[in-house]
């Protein structure tokens, strides 16, 4: 079956080389490396801030009056325009990331974000506001964002990290034992931005002028300003450096951050040789070059089937109703106070963040399949419960049923956060080989944006027309999600990045990469021995 783990593989030899005493908190180089990674992780926080801010602004009378009470089509456009901007950037993002490097791509996207938030804060008309949001989507595409669209956010994709460079740089720089948790944390930190935005709008609600919405908009640009100032000083991806023939720089980067500068450290040599072997395999055997290669082989078609499907799932799991239209949902169950809606929004972000952090921490222990299947199964149950309670309130105006809807929104949010918050980006980047990583992630984000645009226009219309019955559509869809995940999600825990990507090309691919890496290691050892004994050819 497609979902069953491939043939068992022995524990990666890298795991046996790693010093168990080297921890992120007791090694200065790892502390520095993780500080740079935090700088990249805030890209996702920016996206989460945006989604939650837009949700909160819709509860602010000052924002509504400034833009003439937008509703239906105009409200949908205000929410969807950011994704339209992202679509405009997708064709260029992978070329920028692969061409000039991950760091420069992050800097370019952050610079656009600074300009966009300045325009958004100064908006004097709805057209100016829409234009600024277009630029925010365009800039985030290069820096690397995903929207998650869950409960209070704008939409699921925001969390996914819509774009390119930042999540790839996180996964390609991380120390091996921390790669999966840190890459999972990337999307999970969407909630940290959402929490700040939710409580910022809750506080600015009391400002009796346009600064009630301008202040949250202004603060949105702060993380991008920090990135513009610092990101070019961060290390570049060793894998990108090797792909450009800059092997000495790649080895130096790995050694500096992973082994206190020791280029002959066994872990560094293993990583370096495996990176070179994997890139050589992609060029000479798999021919993973160009867009066509995404569907050229059975392994790549399997990757794309999973990536495209989980991209849709991340937006079409019912979370879009809660993320972009929470205030509308709360109005339907009799909770109309703006302060109460903003308070629910803020608490919900904290609740979701806790579960997302736990899943990121436990991803190597619990495994990807377990988290995905548990998440989908619980979401289906909790959404069904929401539908029942929503129907009871709609038909009998039972206050207890309305309160139960809120409880199940929180439970649904926690279920979503178990897998779709931490894993959609992490799983996508780890199953793709280096040569296809930027293009594959671009496809993922492109599909997310398409799904979001559809959701943002259709959800308010369908909710108005069908009411609680619209929830049943998502219940059926979530059941289909569970079946797909059961059959097609491949377990990838406790493997190196190169081994994980090779899983989809068969065990032969893993053996070839391992053999090439070992051969390179032997050749280098021989060269070192000759040099040390003076046996060097003239």
């Amino acid at each position: 079956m497609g979902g069953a783990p491939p043939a068992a593989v022995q524990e990666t030899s890298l795991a046996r080389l790693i010093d168990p005493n080297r921890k992120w908190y007791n090694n200065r180089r790892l502390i520095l490396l993780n500080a740079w990674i935090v700088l990249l992780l805030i890209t996702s926080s920016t996206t989460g801030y945006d989604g939650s801010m837009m949700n909160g602004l819709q509860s602010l009378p000052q924002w509504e009056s400034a833009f003439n009470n937008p509703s239906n089509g105009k409200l949908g456009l205000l929410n969807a325009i950011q994704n339209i901007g992202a679509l405009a950037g997708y064709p260029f993002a992978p070329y920028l990331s692969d061409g000039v490097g991950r760091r420069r791509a992050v800097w370019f996207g952050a610079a656009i974000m600074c300009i966009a938030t300045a325009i958004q804060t100064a908006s004097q008309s709805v057209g100016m506001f829409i234009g600024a949001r277009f630029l925010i989507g365009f800039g985030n595409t290069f820096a690397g964002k995903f929207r998650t669209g869950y409960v209070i956010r704008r939409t699921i994709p925001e969390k996914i990290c819509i774009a390119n460079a930042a999540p790839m740089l996180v996964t390609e720089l991380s120390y091996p034992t921390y790669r999966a948790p840190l890459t999972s944390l990337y999307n999970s930190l969407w909630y940290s931005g959402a929490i700040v935005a939710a409580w910022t709008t809750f506080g600015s609600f009391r400002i009796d002028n346009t600064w009630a919405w301008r202040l949250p908009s202004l603060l949105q640009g702060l993380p991008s300003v920090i990135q513009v100032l610092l990101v070019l000083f961060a290390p570049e991806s060793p894998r990108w450096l090797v792909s450009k023939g800059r092997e000495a720089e790649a080895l130096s980067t790995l050694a500096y951050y992973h082994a206190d500068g020791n280029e002959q450290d066994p872990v560094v040599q293993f990583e370096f040789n495996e990176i070179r072997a994997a890139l050589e395999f992609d060029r000479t055997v798999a021919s993973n070059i160009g867009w066509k290669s995404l569907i050229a082989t059975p392994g790549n078609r399997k990757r794309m089937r999973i990536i495209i499907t989980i991209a849709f799932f991340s937006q079409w799991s019912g979370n879009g109703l809660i993320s972009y239209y929470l205030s509308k949902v709360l109005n339907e169950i009799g909770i109309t106070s703006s302060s109460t809606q903003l308070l629910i929004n803020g608490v919900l972000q904290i609740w979701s963040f806790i579960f997302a952090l736990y899943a990121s921490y436990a991803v190597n222990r619990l495994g990807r399949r377990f988290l995905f299947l548990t998440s989908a199964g619980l979401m289906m149950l909790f959404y069904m419960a929401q539908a029942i309670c929503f129907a009871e309130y709609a038909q009998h105006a039972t206050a207890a049923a309305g309160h139960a809807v809120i409880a199940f929104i929180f439970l649904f949010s926690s279920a979503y956060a178990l897998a779709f918050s931490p894993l959609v980006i992490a799983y996508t980047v780890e199953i793709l080989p280096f040569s296809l990583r930027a293009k594959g992630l671009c496809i993922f984000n492109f599909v997310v944006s398409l799904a979001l645009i559809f959701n943002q226009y259709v959800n308010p219309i369908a909710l108005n027309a069908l009411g609680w019955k619209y929830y049943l559509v998502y219940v059926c869809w979530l059941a289909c999600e569970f079946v797909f995940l059961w059959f097609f999600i491949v377990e990838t825990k406790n493997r190196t990045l190169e081994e994980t990507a090779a899983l989809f090309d068969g065990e032969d691919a893993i053996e070839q990469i391992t053999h090439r890496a070992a051969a390179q290691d032997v050749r280098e050892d021989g060269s070192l021995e000759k040099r040390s004994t003076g046996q060097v050819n003239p």
Side-chain angles (χ1 to χ4, degrees):
M1 293 227 176
V9 179
Q10 294 181 351
E11 181 185 18
T12 173
S13 55
L14 178 60
R16 296 193 291 270
L17 299 175
I18 291 176
D19 180 1
N21 296 319
R22 185 187 293 271
K23 303 293 185 181
W24 67 268
Y25 52 81
N26 65 11
N27 183 277
R28 291 183 179 181
R29 298 288 175 85
L30 286 184
I31 291 173
L32 178 60
L33 174 61
N34 290 334
W36 288 123
I37 288 175
V38 168
L39 180 66
L40 302 170
L41 294 177
I42 64 174
T43 306
S44 183
S45 299
T46 301
T47 307
Y49 186 100
D50 179 82
S52 185
M53 181 193 73
M54 281 303 298
N55 207 47
L57 292 185
Q58 293 173 45
S59 297
L60 292 178
Q62 299 93 324
W63 181 82
E64 289 188 324
S65 61
F67 297 110
N68 299 318
N69 299 304
S71 60
N72 297 331
K74 183 175 288 187
L75 181 59
L77 178 61
L78 281 166
N79 280 328
I81 191 62
Q82 184 187 10
N83 299 302
I84 296 173
L87 288 174
Y90 287 144
F92 311 104
Y95 293 105
L96 191 68
S97 295
D98 285 343
V100 304
R102 314 313 200 200
R103 288 181 309 175
R104 291 187 179 91
V106 172
W107 184 91
F108 179 75
I112 294 178
M113 283 288 295
C114 291
I115 297 171
T117 53
I119 296 173
Q120 180 177 262
T121 302
S123 292
Q124 301 297 318
S125 66
V126 69
M128 191 173 176
F129 193 85
I130 289 173
R133 297 206 53 70
F134 177 91
L135 281 178
I136 288 174
F138 186 79
N140 256 340
T141 295
F142 294 94
K145 74 170 181 179
F146 169 76
R147 306 172 181 128
T148 159
Y150 191 112
V151 183
I152 264 230
R153 335 161 208 198
R154 255 180 97 93
T155 128
I156 263 185
E158 296 232 12
K159 205 179 164 194
I160 286 180
C161 271
I162 220 179
N164 242 257
M168 291 191 297
L169 190 51
V170 169
T171 200
E172 291 169 5
L173 272 178
S174 298
Y175 191 68
T177 52
Y178 299 122
R179 177 184 60 80
L182 284 173
T183 310
S184 300
L185 188 62
Y186 179 90
N187 211 46
S188 299
L189 285 180
W190 185 99
Y191 290 104
S192 63
I195 291 168
V196 173
W199 290 102
T200 299
T201 53
F202 181 75
S204 65
F205 171 73
R206 292 162 176 77
I207 300 176
D208 193 24
N209 53 52
T210 60
W211 278 102
W213 63 267
R214 293 187 195 275
L215 179 60
S217 180
L218 180 65
L219 292 176
Q220 183 180 3
L222 182 60
S224 297
V225 171
I226 296 173
Q227 287 184 322
V228 165
L229 295 176
L230 297 178
V231 76
L232 292 181
F233 297 100
E236 183 54 271
S237 162
R239 289 161 177 84
W240 182 82
L241 292 170
V242 171
S243 74
K244 298 300 180 182
R246 296 159 61 179
E247 294 189 357
E249 292 179 60
L251 180 59
S252 176
T253 299
L254 287 171
Y256 184 86
Y257 290 103
H258 291 188
D260 296 323
N262 181 10
E263 294 186 357
Q264 300 308 315
D265 182 87
V267 171
V268 170
Q269 285 296 313
F270 184 99
E271 290 183 284
F272 182 62
N273 289 325
E274 190 175 55
I275 290 169
R276 290 195 299 175
L279 290 174
E280 180 65 19
F281 176 83
D282 285 340
R283 283 193 294 263
T284 61
V285 179
S287 298
N288 284 330
I289 301 172
W291 290 93
K292 186 178 179 180
S293 61
L294 289 171
I295 56 173
T297 67
N300 287 346
R301 288 193 291 272
K302 185 176 182 179
R303 290 183 178 100
M304 295 312 299
R305 176 177 62 200
I306 294 173
I307 289 170
I308 290 173
T309 305
I310 64 173
F312 275 113
F313 288 173
S314 69
Q315 307 312 307
W316 287 3
S317 295
N319 48 311
L321 280 180
I322 305 170
S323 61
Y324 272 93
Y325 302 104
L326 179 66
S327 61
K328 188 174 184 62
V329 170
L330 294 177
N331 286 334
E332 293 288 332
I333 57 175
I335 299 174
T336 57
S337 168
S338 294
S339 60
T340 302
Q341 290 183 1
L342 290 169
L343 181 61
I344 292 173
N345 182 11
V347 174
L348 184 57
Q349 300 309 320
I350 297 173
W351 170 268
S352 300
F353 188 37
I354 292 171
F355 282 88
L357 286 179
Y358 170 75
S360 298
Y361 170 77
V363 64
N364 275 338
R365 186 171 72 255
L366 298 178
R368 282 63 158 171
R369 273 181 60 80
F370 177 83
L371 289 173
F372 269 121
L373 292 172
T374 301
S375 176
L378 291 177
M379 282 195 296
M380 179 178 65
L381 292 176
F382 295 144
Y383 223 78
M384 186 183 301
Q386 282 186 63
I388 294 171
C389 294
F390 209 142
E392 176 65 21
Y393 184 87
Q395 295 174 4
H396 305 293
T398 306
H403 296 156
V405 169
I406 298 175
F408 284 116
I409 285 176
F410 273 76
L411 290 173
F412 174 84
S413 176
S414 62
Y416 180 90
L418 283 177
F420 287 91
S421 293
L423 289 183
V424 283
I425 285 294
Y427 193 74
T428 295
V429 297
E430 73 179 7
I431 68 175
L432 288 163
F434 174 84
S435 56
L436 297 181
R437 194 164 290 141
K439 293 181 177 65
L441 187 55
C442 180
I443 294 294
F444 170 85
N445 287 316
F446 179 80
V447 173
V448 163
S449 287
L450 288 180
L452 281 177
I453 292 170
F454 176 85
N455 270 6
Q456 289 160 355
Y457 274 107
V458 171
N459 277 336
I461 297 172
L463 190 60
N464 281 335
L466 299 176
W468 66 268
K469 295 178 183 177
Y470 187 43
Y471 279 68
L472 299 179
V473 175
Y474 281 115
V475 171
C476 296
W477 178 257
L478 286 166
C480 295
E481 286 189 16
F482 183 88
V483 172
F484 178 91
L485 295 171
W486 178 271
F487 284 106
F488 293 111
I489 288 293
V490 176
E491 185 55 73
T492 61
K493 68 178 180 178
N494 299 324
R495 294 176 181 270
T496 68
L497 194 57
E498 280 66 36
E499 287 173 341
T500 297
L503 270 177
F504 291 80
D505 298 312
E507 292 300 319
D508 289 342
I510 297 178
E511 291 177 5
Q512 286 191 51
I513 291 174
T514 303
H515 176 75
R516 288 172 184 235
Q520 289 173 352
D521 194 33
V522 169
R523 287 197 298 270
E524 291 182 355
D525 286 345
S527 298
L528 286 172
E529 183 176 351
K530 286 182 179 181
R531 286 197 295 269
S532 66
T533 59
Q535 300 175 18
V536 181
N537 293 329

